[in-house]
Amino acid sequence: MVVDAEGIDYTSKALIDLVRGPMTTVSGFLLQHYVELLHSIVVVNVPSWASAVWSMKPAKDKLDKLQLKAGQVHWMEYKLEKGDALSINISGNSSFGFTIVHAEKEQEEDVYGMKALHPLFTSINGPLKIPIEDSLIAPHSGLYKVWFSNERAWWSSLTIQHSIKN
């Protein structure tokens, strides 16, 4: 596949909206159903600074590994006091779901029914070469749950590398 980047206005909000919206959906669909077409992608007519983006290296921190089979979810729990920070560093070898929620009850597992501390991403297109790094402050004391999902996969297992510290 050849992508021609000539004439693109890299300062335009419309470009960001396009990449975060329709292009993400299309690329996710193509990666799930037409992997053989996307085996090689060549981007031509890119600005000179583009090589810096592609040469970025992932973080060197020691990350724990989590294996999820197709269709599986995994919860991690943290008891935080109001004002505590939760630092995250996450990457995956395939697409996965992720969020951090505040749970009223320990047994609660409906990710859509809990109050989100971090946006709910049902599918982050992977593999991620650059990890997601963030730090969140607990607005209330209580139980916070980190949700990882491989529910959208039919066949493929997922390996998530993560470091979550409070």
Side-chain angles (χ1 to χ4, degrees):
M1 172 182 259
V2 177
V3 177
D4 188 352
E6 185 176 7
I8 294 177
D9 178 9
Y10 294 96
T11 61
S12 167
K13 182 181 179 321
L15 176 64
I16 294 169
D17 292 342
L18 176 67
V19 169
R20 291 179 64 202
M23 289 298 290
T24 300
T25 303
V26 169
S27 66
F29 176 81
L30 290 173
L31 285 169
Q32 276 188 320
H33 302 287
Y34 299 98
V35 175
E36 65 279 358
L37 293 177
L38 299 177
H39 177 66
S40 298
I41 299 174
V42 178
V43 184
V44 296
N45 297 321
V46 295
S48 58
W49 52 263
S51 64
V53 173
W54 278 294
S55 64
M56 293 175 83
K57 302 274 190 263
K60 303 252 188 253
D61 292 346
K62 174 71 174 139
L63 302 176
D64 296 322
K65 287 187 178 179
L66 172 65
Q67 297 280 106
L68 291 177
K69 294 179 181 175
Q72 191 176 25
V73 299
H74 181 78
W75 291 96
M76 299 173 76
E77 298 181 353
Y78 298 88
K79 291 192 188 274
L80 302 176
E81 298 297 323
K82 181 178 180 176
D84 283 354
L86 190 65
S87 299
I88 59 172
N89 182 327
I90 300 165
S91 66
N93 69 342
S94 186
S95 298
F96 63 95
F98 169 76
T99 193
I100 301 173
V101 294
H102 180 251
E104 295 294 327
K105 300 173 189 160
E106 197 168 324
Q107 303 82 3
E108 207 170 353
E109 291 194 351
D110 177 14
V111 71
Y112 301 101
M114 292 183 262
K115 183 170 174 46
L117 179 64
H118 191 277
L120 170 61
F121 295 109
T122 56
S123 183
I124 299 172
N125 288 333
L128 294 180
K129 299 296 183 190
I130 307 297
I132 296 171
E133 294 181 7
D134 204 352
S135 183
L136 307 163
I137 305 298
H140 310 286
S141 295
L143 180 64
Y144 288 85
K145 293 185 170 190
V146 178
W147 176 77
F148 292 108
S149 170
N150 195 21
E151 289 178 308
R152 295 183 117 187
W154 289 15
W155 314 108
S156 302
S157 291
L158 164 68
T159 300
I160 294 175
Q161 295 182 313
H162 64 89
S163 171
I164 302 173
K165 300 174 186 166
N166 64 335

